[in-house]
């Protein structure tokens, strides 16, 4: 059914920026709360940021607070994770997670690599 799709990952130097996107072609995400998660090799998946369906409530993990910003554009059916001042420890696969009542869905992930 619902299949979130992430994009925007890539290779960037420390201190650089990337903007990740999450959308779905078949279903509107406007009623879904969205979380961005990441998982580095050998590490457990951790939450990075989340946003309510309306966009009024946003939270960011302490490790990324002040550097990353989650947002959404209802008209474009798209969510974003703006990542600034990237560090090597931000290297991971980033996943979009959509939640609405008892329903939840995971994207396939997009690779972010921060390296010189």
């Amino acid at each position: 059914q619902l299949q979130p799709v992430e994009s925007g990952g890539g290779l960037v130097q420390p201190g650089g920026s990337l903007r990740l996107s999450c959308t779905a072609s078949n279903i509107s995400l406007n009623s879904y709360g969205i979380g961005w998660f990441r998982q580095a090799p050998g590490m457990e998946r951790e939450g990075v940021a989340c946003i309510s369906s309306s966009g009024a409530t946003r939270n960011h993990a302490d490790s990324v607070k002040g550097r990353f910003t989650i947002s959404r554009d209802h008209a474009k059916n798209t969510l974003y994770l703006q990542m600034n001042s990237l560090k090597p420890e931000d290297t991971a696969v980033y996943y979009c997670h959509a939640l609405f009542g008892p329903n939840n869905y995971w994207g396939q992930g997009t690779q972010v690599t921060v390296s010189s």
Side-chain angles (χ1 to χ4, degrees), residues 38 46-48 60-68 87 90:
R38 68 185 182 186
E46 63 176 346
V48 176
H60 301 81
D62 289 341
S63 60
V64 306
K65 194 169 297 181
R67 299 188 299 119
F68 292 9
K87 305 174 181 179
D90 295 319

Side-chain angles (χ1 to χ4, degrees), residues 3 8 27 100:
Q3 185 174 355
I27 296 292
F100 179 63

Side-chain angles (χ1 to χ4, degrees), residues 40-103:
M43 304 292 289
E44 65 181 16
R45 188 171 298 185
E46 63 176 346
V48 176
C50 60
I51 187 169
S52 63
S53 58
S54 69
T57 302
R58 309 177 189 191
N59 290 286
H60 301 81
D62 289 341
S63 60
V64 306
K65 194 169 297 181
R67 299 188 299 119
F68 292 9
T69 303
I70 189 171
S71 63
R72 67 191 307 160
D73 187 333
H74 286 95
K76 295 182 178 180
N77 194 36
T78 302
L79 296 105
Y80 303 100
L81 184 67
Q82 179 66 48
M83 305 186 295
N84 299 326
S85 302
L86 283 162
K87 305 174 181 179
E89 51 263 44
D90 295 319
T91 296
V93 177
Y94 284 71
Y95 298 90
C96 179
H97 177 247
L99 174 66
F100 179 63
N103 305 306

